Amino acid sequence: MSEEKNKNQQDLNMCGDIGCKKSDDLKNCEKEQGEFRDDGLENNQDNELEKLKVAFEALKDRLYRENADFENSKKRMQKDLKMAVDYANEDFAKDMLPVIDALDAALNIDVKDNEFAVQIKDGVKQCVTILLKNFEKHGITPIDVSGKFDHNIHNAVSQIEAEGKESGDIVQVYQKGYMYKGRVLRAAMVVVAK
């Protein structure tokens, strides 16, 4: 009887599964465990594949965004470089404005009948003409002061009552203003009608 008990115990130990009692059941049990392992491996591989797909999509999206950021930065740098080149002479142009102001002031001097002073005034007038042509050639143009006041290009120093003028009309110019390639180089200082 102890031999029979030992044999049953061996059958039970072969499988290691509580439900298996005989050695032919052991083969079935191992087969089932193998199928279970294969299903688990496939599920694990499917999970890994899904994770990789998600990671790939995230990296692809990041690549597209980084590429778009790079292209935008490149365009912004090209625009900034073009602006720097276009407006490189702006400081020089500002420095030239007092020169044209002084020459304009010399043109306003009343020389009366002094022939020598008239000739000097004509020479100054030619200098102003040449300077204004060169200004225009390089994108520097006088600001128009013939119409209504525009706070973007004019600087009102005072307001006065003026006959025949509507409110907001420019009555007098204290200092000429200039534009440089579409930018205000110096606003025109004007007196405006109330």
Side-chain angles (χ1 to χ4, degrees):
M1 189 140 157
S2 67
E3 275 185 37
E4 212 173 291
K5 216 177 187 185
N6 276 344
K7 188 171 184 203
N8 284 340
Q9 188 65 30
Q10 283 178 346
D11 285 346
L12 234 117
N13 288 340
M14 287 173 142
C15 177
D17 194 3
I18 295 172
C20 292
K21 294 182 181 172
K22 297 185 179 174
S23 36
D24 60 359
D25 285 339
L26 177 66
K27 291 177 186 169
N28 288 337
C29 182
E30 288 173 350
K31 185 177 178 186
E32 287 173 10
Q33 286 179 358
E35 286 175 5
F36 178 73
R37 286 185 196 131
D38 287 347
D39 287 345
L41 186 60
E42 283 181 28
N43 286 340
N44 195 19
Q45 286 176 345
D46 287 345
N47 287 342
E48 286 295 317
L49 185 60
E50 284 301 315
K51 287 179 184 176
L52 289 173
K53 283 181 182 178
V54 168
F56 173 74
E57 289 300 321
L59 285 173
K60 189 168 82 171
D61 182 58
R62 184 174 171 199
L63 174 69
Y64 288 147
R65 290 178 189 274
E66 293 292 332
N67 190 36
D69 285 345
F70 174 74
E71 289 299 321
N72 288 340
S73 294
K74 192 168 125 180
K75 287 177 185 175
R76 193 169 33 253
M77 285 178 61
Q78 287 172 344
K79 182 182 173 185
D80 290 347
L81 179 64
K82 183 181 181 323
M83 291 281 285
V85 169
D86 285 349
Y87 294 100
N89 295 325
E90 187 172 11
D91 287 338
F92 178 72
K94 281 183 182 175
D95 291 341
M96 292 301 294
L97 296 182
V99 175
I100 194 79
D101 291 341
L103 293 172
D104 277 338
L107 288 177
N108 291 330
I109 295 173
D110 186 19
V111 291
K112 299 198 184 201
D113 294 330
N114 187 336
E115 204 172 305
F116 180 70
V118 170
Q119 289 176 356
I120 290 175
K121 191 172 181 177
D122 287 342
V124 170
K125 189 174 185 177
Q126 288 176 353
C127 289
V128 168
T129 304
I130 292 169
L131 194 55
L132 287 175
K133 283 182 183 177
N134 282 312
F135 271 14
E136 193 170 328
K137 178 177 153 185
H138 292 283
I140 303 168
T141 55
I143 291 176
D144 182 28
V145 289
S146 61
K148 291 270 187 194
F149 174 79
D150 179 355
H151 66 88
N152 294 312
I153 57 174
H154 302 124
N155 185 9
V157 291
S158 66
Q159 286 185 316
I160 60 169
E161 294 287 339
E163 286 187 34
K165 297 283 186 177
E166 293 180 14
S167 177
D169 283 348
I170 295 172
V171 178
Q172 185 181 359
V173 178
Y174 276 144
Q175 186 179 48
K176 288 184 180 178
Y178 292 91
M179 302 284 285
Y180 180 61
K181 295 183 179 180
R183 275 192 198 173
V184 175
L185 189 60
R186 180 178 73 191
M189 293 201 312
V190 296
V191 176
V192 182
K194 284 186 181 180

